[in-house]
CSV table of all heavy atoms in Angstrom, one decimal:
chain,number,residue,atom,x,y,z
Q,104,LEU,N,-87.8,58.3,-29.9
Q,104,LEU,CA,-87.7,56.8,-30.0
Q,104,LEU,C,-89.1,56.2,-29.6
Q,104,LEU,O,-89.8,56.8,-28.8
Q,104,LEU,CB,-86.6,56.3,-29.1
Q,104,LEU,CG,-85.2,56.7,-29.5
Q,104,LEU,CD1,-84.2,56.2,-28.5
Q,104,LEU,CD2,-84.8,56.3,-30.9
Q,105,GLN,N,-89.3,55.0,-30.0
Q,105,GLN,CA,-90.4,54.2,-29.6
Q,105,GLN,C,-90.0,52.7,-29.5
Q,105,GLN,O,-89.0,52.3,-30.2
Q,105,GLN,CB,-91.6,54.4,-30.5
Q,105,GLN,CG,-91.3,54.3,-32.0
Q,105,GLN,CD,-92.5,54.8,-32.8
Q,105,GLN,OE1,-93.6,54.3,-32.7
Q,105,GLN,NE2,-92.2,55.8,-33.7
Q,106,ARG,N,-90.7,52.0,-28.7
Q,106,ARG,CA,-90.4,50.6,-28.6
Q,106,ARG,C,-91.7,49.8,-28.4
Q,106,ARG,O,-92.7,50.2,-27.7
Q,106,ARG,CB,-89.6,50.4,-27.3
Q,106,ARG,CG,-89.0,49.0,-27.2
Q,106,ARG,CD,-88.0,48.9,-26.0
Q,106,ARG,NE,-87.1,47.8,-26.2
Q,106,ARG,CZ,-86.3,47.3,-25.3
Q,106,ARG,NH1,-86.2,47.9,-24.1
Q,106,ARG,NH2,-85.5,46.3,-25.6
Q,107,PHE,N,-91.8,48.7,-29.1
Q,107,PHE,CA,-93.0,47.8,-29.1
Q,107,PHE,C,-92.8,46.7,-28.1
Q,107,PHE,O,-91.7,46.0,-28.1
Q,107,PHE,CB,-93.2,47.3,-30.5
Q,107,PHE,CG,-94.4,46.4,-30.6
Q,107,PHE,CD1,-95.7,47.0,-30.7
Q,107,PHE,CD2,-94.4,45.1,-30.7
Q,107,PHE,CE1,-96.8,46.3,-30.8
Q,107,PHE,CE2,-95.5,44.3,-30.8
Q,107,PHE,CZ,-96.7,44.9,-30.9
Q,108,HIS,N,-93.7,46.5,-27.2
Q,108,HIS,CA,-93.7,45.5,-26.2
Q,108,HIS,C,-94.8,44.5,-26.4
Q,108,HIS,O,-95.9,44.9,-26.7
Q,108,HIS,CB,-93.8,46.0,-24.8
Q,108,HIS,CG,-92.7,47.1,-24.5
Q,108,HIS,ND1,-91.5,46.7,-24.0
Q,108,HIS,CD2,-92.8,48.4,-24.5
Q,108,HIS,CE1,-90.8,47.8,-23.8
Q,108,HIS,NE2,-91.6,48.9,-24.0
Q,109,LYS,N,-94.6,43.2,-26.2
Q,109,LYS,CA,-95.6,42.2,-26.1
Q,109,LYS,C,-95.4,41.4,-24.9
Q,109,LYS,O,-94.4,40.8,-24.7
Q,109,LYS,CB,-95.6,41.3,-27.4
Q,109,LYS,CG,-96.7,40.3,-27.3
Q,109,LYS,CD,-96.8,39.5,-28.7
Q,109,LYS,CE,-97.9,38.5,-28.7
Q,109,LYS,NZ,-99.2,39.0,-28.5
Q,110,ILE,N,-96.4,41.4,-24.1
Q,110,ILE,CA,-96.4,40.6,-22.8
Q,110,ILE,C,-97.0,39.3,-23.0
Q,110,ILE,O,-98.2,39.2,-23.5
Q,110,ILE,CB,-97.1,41.4,-21.7
Q,110,ILE,CG1,-96.5,42.7,-21.5
Q,110,ILE,CG2,-97.2,40.6,-20.4
Q,110,ILE,CD1,-97.3,43.8,-20.8
Q,111,ILE,N,-96.3,38.2,-22.7
Q,111,ILE,CA,-96.8,36.9,-22.9
Q,111,ILE,C,-96.9,36.2,-21.6
Q,111,ILE,O,-95.9,36.0,-20.9
Q,111,ILE,CB,-95.9,36.1,-23.9
Q,111,ILE,CG1,-95.8,36.8,-25.2
Q,111,ILE,CG2,-96.4,34.6,-24.1
Q,111,ILE,CD1,-94.6,36.4,-26.0
Q,112,ARG,N,-98.1,35.8,-21.2
Q,112,ARG,CA,-98.4,35.2,-19.9
Q,112,ARG,C,-98.9,33.8,-20.1
Q,112,ARG,O,-100.0,33.6,-20.6
Q,112,ARG,CB,-99.4,36.0,-19.1
Q,112,ARG,CG,-98.8,37.5,-18.9
Q,112,ARG,CD,-99.8,38.3,-18.1
Q,112,ARG,NE,-99.7,37.9,-16.7
Q,112,ARG,CZ,-100.7,38.1,-15.8
Q,112,ARG,NH1,-101.8,38.7,-16.2
Q,112,ARG,NH2,-100.6,37.8,-14.6
Q,113,THR,N,-98.1,32.8,-19.7
Q,113,THR,CA,-98.6,31.4,-19.9
Q,113,THR,C,-98.1,30.6,-18.6
Q,113,THR,O,-97.0,30.7,-18.2
Q,113,THR,CB,-98.0,30.7,-21.1
Q,113,THR,OG1,-96.6,30.8,-21.1
Q,113,THR,CG2,-98.5,31.3,-22.4
Q,114,ASN,N,-99.0,29.8,-18.1
Q,114,ASN,CA,-98.7,28.9,-17.0
Q,114,ASN,C,-98.0,29.6,-15.9
Q,114,ASN,O,-96.9,29.1,-15.4
Q,114,ASN,CB,-98.0,27.7,-17.5
Q,114,ASN,CG,-98.8,26.9,-18.4
Q,114,ASN,OD1,-100.0,26.8,-18.4
Q,114,ASN,ND2,-98.1,26.3,-19.4
Q,115,TYR,N,-98.4,30.8,-15.5
Q,115,TYR,CA,-97.8,31.6,-14.4
Q,115,TYR,C,-96.4,32.1,-14.7
Q,115,TYR,O,-95.6,32.5,-13.8
Q,115,TYR,CB,-97.8,30.8,-13.1
Q,115,TYR,CG,-99.1,30.3,-12.7
Q,115,TYR,CD1,-99.5,29.0,-12.9
Q,115,TYR,CD2,-100.0,31.2,-12.1
Q,115,TYR,CE1,-100.8,28.5,-12.5
Q,115,TYR,CE2,-101.3,30.7,-11.8
Q,115,TYR,CZ,-101.7,29.4,-12.0
Q,115,TYR,OH,-102.9,29.0,-11.6
Q,116,ILE,N,-96.0,32.0,-16.0
Q,116,ILE,CA,-94.7,32.5,-16.4
Q,116,ILE,C,-95.0,33.7,-17.3
Q,116,ILE,O,-95.8,33.6,-18.3
Q,116,ILE,CB,-93.9,31.4,-17.1
Q,116,ILE,CG1,-93.6,30.3,-16.2
Q,116,ILE,CG2,-92.6,32.0,-17.7
Q,116,ILE,CD1,-92.9,29.1,-16.8
Q,117,THR,N,-94.3,34.8,-17.1
Q,117,THR,CA,-94.5,36.0,-17.9
Q,117,THR,C,-93.2,36.3,-18.6
Q,117,THR,O,-92.1,36.3,-18.0
Q,117,THR,CB,-94.9,37.2,-17.0
Q,117,THR,OG1,-96.0,36.9,-16.3
Q,117,THR,CG2,-95.1,38.5,-17.9
Q,118,THR,N,-93.3,36.4,-19.9
Q,118,THR,CA,-92.1,36.9,-20.7
Q,118,THR,C,-92.5,38.2,-21.4
Q,118,THR,O,-93.6,38.5,-21.6
Q,118,THR,CB,-91.7,35.8,-21.8
Q,118,THR,OG1,-92.8,35.5,-22.6
Q,118,THR,CG2,-91.2,34.6,-21.1
Q,119,LEU,N,-91.4,38.9,-21.8
Q,119,LEU,CA,-91.6,40.2,-22.5
Q,119,LEU,C,-90.8,40.1,-23.8
Q,119,LEU,O,-89.6,39.8,-23.8
Q,119,LEU,CB,-91.1,41.3,-21.6
Q,119,LEU,CG,-91.0,42.7,-22.1
Q,119,LEU,CD1,-92.5,43.2,-22.4
Q,119,LEU,CD2,-90.3,43.6,-21.2
Q,120,GLU,N,-91.5,40.3,-24.9
Q,120,GLU,CA,-90.9,40.4,-26.2
Q,120,GLU,C,-90.9,41.8,-26.6
Q,120,GLU,O,-91.9,42.5,-26.6
Q,120,GLU,CB,-91.7,39.6,-27.2
Q,120,GLU,CG,-91.2,39.5,-28.6
Q,120,GLU,CD,-92.1,38.7,-29.5
Q,120,GLU,OE1,-92.2,37.5,-29.2
Q,120,GLU,OE2,-92.6,39.2,-30.4
Side-chain angles (χ1 to χ4, degrees):
L104 299 175
Q105 47 193 305
R106 191 173 202 188
F107 183 78
H108 302 278
K109 180 171 179 63
I110 300 158
I111 303 161
R112 301 177 77 204
T113 56
N114 298 328
Y115 305 104
I116 297 172
T117 303
T118 55
L119 176 65
E120 180 180 299

